[in-house]
Amino acid sequence: MHIFGGSKGRDGSLPGQGGKGVLPSVTERDFEQQVLLSEIPVLVEFMTERSQSCQAIAPDVEAFAKEMEGKLRVVKVDIEKSPMLARQLRLQQVPTFMLFVDQRLGDAQVGPLNKKQLLAMVEPFLPRQEGALKAIEVDVLIRRGAVVAVDMRDASAYGRAHLPGAKNIPENEIASRLAELFMFQGQPVLYDRSGDKTKKIAAAMAEQGTPIAFLEGGILAWEAEGLPIERS
C-alpha cells in the first residue's frame, strides 16, 4: 500500500517514542516513513483530541502499547491535523484502528476497542514463539495421533477437565521427568490454564537445546474454540 512518495529508507525510531502516557504521534508527512516502512507491524489509532470516545479508551490503548513493546508499534494520527491522509483512507469515524504489516493494510476496525479486542485484532499478524500452536492446530494433531497433550496443572485440575488423551505432569515435576516427557507415543505439547507458564517453560527449554511445543492460551483457549474436553 503506497500512500505518499519520497521516502526510501527505513527508520526504527518514532517521534515522541518513550514518552510516558502518550502515544507517538504521526502525521501525513511522515506516515510512510514511520508506518508503511516499519520493520514490525504498526497499529494506528486515527483519532481527534476532542473526541470523547478517543479520550475514554486512551488508557487502554497506552497500556496495550506498552505490553506490545518490541513486537508491535502503536501510534496515533489526529485526522484533523492530517486531513489529506484521512481522505485517502476514507475515514468516516473516530476512533478507527488500522494495522499495517509489510507496507499493506492487514486489518481495520471502527469504534472504541479495549485491550482484549486490540490483541485479537493484531495477534494473527504477530511473530509466533517457536513451538507455539493454536488450539485448532493441536486438535488436528491429537486426532492424527501426532502429538500428546501434557497437562502441567496440578492433579486435581487435571482430574476435573483435560484435553483428550492428555497426560499429567505438574509444572514442578517437568524438569525431573524430561525423559518420560519424550517417551510418549507422539510429540509432547505442553499446556496449562492460560498458556503463560508453558510459554515461559518452552522458551527456557528451547534455550537449553530442547525445543518443545505448547498450546497458546492454554485450556482456556481450547474451551473458547468449543473443542472436546475429557472430564473425570
Side-chain angles (χ1 to χ4, degrees):
M1 180 178 180
H2 187 81
I3 296 180
F4 297 106
S7 297
K8 299 298 183 182
R10 292 177 180 262
D11 188 345
S13 63
L14 282 170
Q17 190 84 45
K20 292 184 178 179
V22 179
L23 292 182
S25 293
V26 172
T27 69
E28 55 195 24
R29 292 184 177 182
D30 57 1
F31 188 85
E32 182 177 22
Q33 183 71 32
Q34 302 293 355
V35 176
L36 297 181
L37 296 181
S38 172
E39 295 182 354
I40 64 174
V42 180
L43 179 67
V44 183
E45 179 195 2
F46 293 93
M47 43 71 72
T48 64
E49 296 291 348
R50 57 190 177 86
S51 166
Q52 293 184 354
S53 294
C54 295
Q55 293 176 13
I57 64 171
D60 255 11
V61 177
E62 290 167 2
F64 178 73
K66 185 175 181 180
E67 291 176 8
M68 291 292 104
E69 197 169 314
K71 301 178 183 177
L72 171 83
R73 288 191 181 124
V74 184
V75 303
K76 64 182 179 181
V77 172
D78 188 330
I79 65 171
E80 293 182 336
K81 297 177 182 178
S82 298
M84 184 165 63
L85 180 58
R87 286 195 299 271
Q88 285 191 292
L89 294 174
R90 299 180 181 178
L91 298 174
Q92 302 292 326
Q93 179 182 329
V94 293
T96 291
F97 291 89
M98 290 187 175
L99 179 67
F100 293 88
V101 184
D102 296 329
Q103 302 187 40
R104 296 184 179 183
L105 178 62
D107 195 5
Q109 295 192 28
V110 178
L113 302 179
N114 58 33
K115 285 202 299 180
K116 184 177 180 180
Q117 292 168 320
L118 290 170
L119 180 59
M121 178 181 177
V122 306
E123 192 171 33
F125 301 91
L126 297 178
R128 294 172 67 182
Q129 180 178 322
E130 181 182 359
L133 294 173
K134 301 287 186 184
I136 297 295
E137 296 172 321
V138 176
D139 178 51
V140 172
L141 292 170
I142 288 176
R143 286 189 281 109
R144 289 178 180 172
V147 303
V148 174
V150 179
D151 194 318
M152 289 177 30
R153 299 172 301 158
D154 59 47
S156 60
Y158 168 80
R160 288 192 295 272
H162 53 264
L163 272 61
K167 308 296 184 181
N168 183 218
I169 301 182
E171 175 192 359
N172 60 356
E173 298 179 18
I174 288 287
S176 62
R177 298 173 65 179
L178 284 179
E180 177 184 348
L181 190 64
F182 290 98
M183 290 179 66
F184 295 132
Q185 297 297 312
Q187 292 296 314
V189 177
L190 302 179
Y191 75 91
D192 60 4
R193 180 176 180 275
S194 64
D196 294 336
K197 293 179 180 179
T198 49
K199 184 177 181 179
K200 292 179 181 178
I201 288 177
M205 290 180 67
E207 288 181 0
Q208 296 167 8
T210 311
I212 194 166
F214 68 96
L215 171 59
E216 284 189 330
I219 196 169
L220 293 180
W222 183 271
E223 291 179 317
E225 292 288 350
L227 297 170
I229 290 287
E230 292 183 354
R231 303 180 189 276
S232 300

